[in-house]
Amino acid sequence: MSLFIQPEVVDRKRRRAAIDRLRQVHGTLPTWSELADPGEIESERLPDLSRVDPDAPDAANLWRVHWFNSADRKTQIDIPGYVVLPPELTGVKAPIVVLLGCRFPMIGAHKVLAAYACLVPRLVTGQFDPSHDRAVWPSTGNYCRGGVAISRILGCRGVAVLPAGMSRERFDWLQRWVADPADIIRTPGTESNVKAIYDKCAELKRDEQNVILNQFSEFANYLIHFHCTGHAFDRVFGHLKWDHKDYRLAAFVSATGSAGTLAAGDRLKKLHGTKIAAVEAIECPTMLCNGYGEHNIQGIGDKHIPLIHNVMNTDVVIGVSDAASDALNLLFGSECGRNYLADRRKIDLEVIQQFTDIGISGLANIVAAIKLTKHLDYGPNDVVMTVATDSAALYGSERQAYLARQYPDGFDDVNAGEIFGRHMEGIADDHVMELRHIDRKRIFNLGYYTWVEQQGISVEEFDRRKSQEFWQSLVDSIPAWDRLIQEFNAEVGDGTST
């Protein structure tokens, strides 16, 4: 297994097939730098997006796979969507800033950015033929939806591999988008059972038509988040700092998942000296305690260390219980809970309404950000930034299940107050580990069992990831990828293939 794809053409025949398919769908591919800063795209490069529904499987929507979409996801804005959580809600003085991933097209989650990034290198280097190959997207929910969306745009088969225990809304979406119901493969368990996903992919890989795009090991996932998501966070911070000159970007907080989003922290650390905090479920404390278990913070796979996690650059690990994210999903997602927050806690209605844009993993990230703020005694000028991958719309069924399980006789103001007191006011800095060098080495070494023993990475390639020079060499390849995409588009546009 090769560690990463080089920016060079390896199969011109398959590349020609990909070029032909882009012509058929009347599409071109935005470069990574164009997605990082779409305001800089020359107008003649852009398709007419005014006519295109952001939820349509239209090639024009590839040009919306960025952080700069407005709330209606139809127009472009200068500053990515975000919400600043006030002290009366968080109980801490430090501003906690949440970027909103629900503004991405087609799936309403920023994982479509990673899916695009993982497929494009194969298209432009000739390692994926849309007329022949099937794209297999192993995921705990949103990434495979993004992959299926990109696959459908290209007119190729997209296969979603995800745990059977994920929310009903994910499967409802997939049923509407896949070409064949058989392209939805349910593996046993929940997001904690990533090994079952890998085993299914190993089985699928025996068919040469299946190309596995594993977000946990695709370094394009790291690169796109370093380049695009990191830039989006920096743009929002710069916007905030304009009005608050004393602000510093103290910390970036993100659940691990595939560890792609954590790459934004690497960029912010380079720019601002920002601390990087990785979040996981207490019920499955892999980084904290070499642990195991099950949890319901949907979208953050556990029991392994992703190959693309730059562990040696991570500063803090924070554990959050799914008891908190499940309860807060009900508090912010129910009329009774919202009324309690507005009437009894005097939270601004606009802030409360913005929680419709924050899903379960976003709630877990917020809890982790508050924990970190308390642990490190951050003050009013210490900005802590985090992300909401998707919106509450994906978790209505989870909310109803939790309500039936915990409050079968009904949910009232008293119950809302109990949730707020326990899971917001009562947040403590427990399950927070500041990483020493030996702690980073321990977490790094955990990855050996997945990637060397099970997935076939050589020890030498596995160990290369300890050095920050390795990660910088990846970042240095971005201009080469942009040029390769531009050359690919030029051939799509001029009607010739070489």
Side-chain angles (χ1 to χ4, degrees):
M1 178 177 175
S2 177
L3 196 58
F4 59 90
I5 298 173
Q6 296 285 355
E8 55 192 35
V9 177
V10 298
D11 190 323
R12 294 197 175 274
K13 182 179 179 180
R14 295 174 88 191
R15 183 174 178 272
R16 282 197 299 273
I19 288 170
D20 290 342
R21 180 53 55 87
L22 264 295
R23 289 178 190 149
Q24 292 168 16
V25 301
H26 306 290
T28 52
L29 303 175
T31 68
W32 292 0
S33 293
E34 286 172 328
L35 294 180
D37 197 355
E40 297 297 314
I41 302 174
E42 297 175 359
S43 58
E44 59 267 23
R45 291 272 296 126
L46 285 171
D48 181 9
L49 292 171
S50 64
R51 62 174 179 81
V52 180
D53 182 337
D55 290 316
D58 191 303
N61 272 328
L62 296 177
W63 293 84
R64 285 182 169 134
V65 181
H66 58 66
W67 283 95
F68 292 82
N69 295 304
S70 62
D72 66 6
R73 299 183 299 149
K74 294 179 180 178
T75 57
Q76 189 176 298
I77 54 179
D78 294 331
I79 306 298
Y82 70 94
V83 57
V84 180
L85 303 182
E88 56 266 31
L89 176 63
T90 64
V92 295
K93 294 178 181 178
I96 293 177
V97 181
V98 187
L99 263 65
L100 303 175
C102 64
R103 296 188 177 187
F104 278 79
M106 296 175 288
I107 73 168
H110 83 284
K111 286 300 186 77
V112 70
L113 177 66
Y116 175 81
C118 291
L119 185 57
V120 164
R122 284 179 166 78
L123 292 172
V124 300
T125 60
Q127 297 180 71
F128 187 88
D129 176 355
S131 66
H132 173 269
D133 298 333
R134 288 189 294 262
V136 179
W137 305 93
S139 170
T140 56
N142 284 322
Y143 172 76
C144 71
R145 292 196 304 122
V148 165
I150 300 296
S151 300
R152 183 165 168 182
I153 284 174
L154 294 175
C156 67
R157 292 280 293 276
V159 179
V161 183
L162 73 165
M166 304 307 290
S167 71
R168 187 192 69 216
E169 289 82 358
R170 281 172 164 80
F171 289 104
D172 290 346
W173 185 96
L174 286 167
Q175 290 285 356
R176 296 192 299 271
W177 277 74
V178 295
D180 185 330
D183 290 339
I184 306 172
I185 298 177
R186 296 167 169 84
T187 55
T190 64
E191 55 279 291
S192 298
N193 300 97
V194 174
K195 175 64 162 56
I197 298 173
Y198 290 169
D199 290 346
K200 173 53 71 172
C201 286
E203 176 186 327
L204 292 170
K205 195 174 181 180
R206 295 172 194 153
D207 185 337
E208 66 174 13
Q209 284 187 280
N210 291 329
V211 177
I212 312 299
L213 296 122
N214 187 346
Q215 62 172 333
F216 301 94
S217 58
E218 292 282 331
F219 285 92
N221 184 6
Y222 174 90
L223 280 178
I224 202 74
H225 283 299
F226 181 97
H227 198 47
C228 297
T229 303
H231 176 73
F233 274 89
D234 183 51
R235 180 70 66 86
V236 171
F237 175 69
H239 175 69
L240 295 171
K241 191 173 174 64
W242 185 262
D243 293 324
H244 304 274
K245 304 300 184 186
D246 293 330
Y247 272 3
R248 74 180 187 101
L249 184 40
F252 173 77
V253 177
S254 177
T256 47
S258 68
T261 307
L262 277 170
D266 286 356
R267 177 164 183 163
L268 297 175
K269 178 178 277 192
K270 282 180 178 291
L271 293 173
H272 304 284
T274 305
K275 286 187 180 295
I276 302 168
V279 182
E280 66 180 4
I282 292 170
E283 289 78 9
C284 189
T286 308
M287 292 180 289
L288 284 170
C289 200
N290 296 11
Y292 53 86
E294 300 279 346
H295 68 87
N296 194 45
I297 306 177
Q298 297 201 13
I300 61 170
D302 297 296
K303 297 197 187 90
H304 81 306
I305 305 301
L307 191 70
I308 66 168
H309 183 180
N310 184 5
V311 173
M312 302 306 289
N313 204 36
T314 301
D315 300 294
V316 185
V317 174
I318 304 171
V320 174
S321 174
D322 64 5
S325 52
D326 281 341
L328 293 174
N329 184 37
L330 177 59
L331 180 67
F332 288 104
S334 65
E335 183 178 1
C336 177
R338 290 190 294 266
N339 288 339
Y340 170 84
L341 292 168
D343 297 340
R344 298 294 298 276
R345 293 292 173 171
K346 308 303 180 187
I347 308 299
D348 185 88
L349 282 174
E350 185 176 349
V351 172
I352 296 171
Q353 290 167 355
Q354 286 190 284
F355 273 83
T356 60
D357 292 337
I358 300 175
I360 285 182
S361 64
L363 295 170
N365 281 338
I366 290 168
V367 172
I370 295 171
K371 284 190 171 195
L372 182 67
T373 299
K374 291 184 174 181
H375 184 78
L376 296 177
D377 297 318
Y378 284 151
N381 291 322
D382 297 314
V383 176
V384 178
M385 303 190 81
T386 190
V387 62
T389 294
D390 53 25
S391 76
L394 279 169
Y395 304 101
S397 60
E398 295 297 318
R399 192 178 308 118
Q400 291 304 314
Y402 180 79
L403 181 65
R405 187 169 66 249
Q406 297 294 330
Y407 302 100
D409 298 324
F411 183 69
D412 58 23
D413 281 357
V414 173
N415 303 136
E418 290 171 343
I419 288 177
F420 188 88
R422 180 178 179 183
H423 296 297
M424 289 300 294
E425 280 187 322
I427 294 174
D429 67 340
D430 55 349
H431 304 285
V432 177
M433 178 187 291
E434 296 183 62
L435 299 182
R436 304 164 298 168
H437 181 68
I438 190 66
D439 300 315
R440 293 185 179 99
K441 285 178 64 176
R442 174 184 61 79
I443 296 170
F444 182 93
N445 290 347
L446 274 177
Y448 170 89
Y449 303 100
T450 297
W451 300 110
V452 177
E453 290 196 344
Q454 296 174 14
Q455 301 301 320
I457 291 288
S458 71
V459 173
E460 292 75 19
E461 287 201 315
F462 178 81
D463 281 342
R464 285 175 63 196
R465 299 158 43 258
K466 285 181 181 176
S467 168
Q468 293 310 300
E469 288 157 4
F470 167 81
W471 301 94
Q472 184 59 48
S473 71
L474 293 178
V475 172
D476 291 342
S477 73
I478 289 172
W481 283 115
D482 283 347
R483 286 193 298 273
L484 208 54
I485 294 169
Q486 289 167 345
E487 292 167 3
F488 181 93
N489 284 332
E491 293 187 47
V492 171
D494 68 15
T496 64
S497 300
T498 58

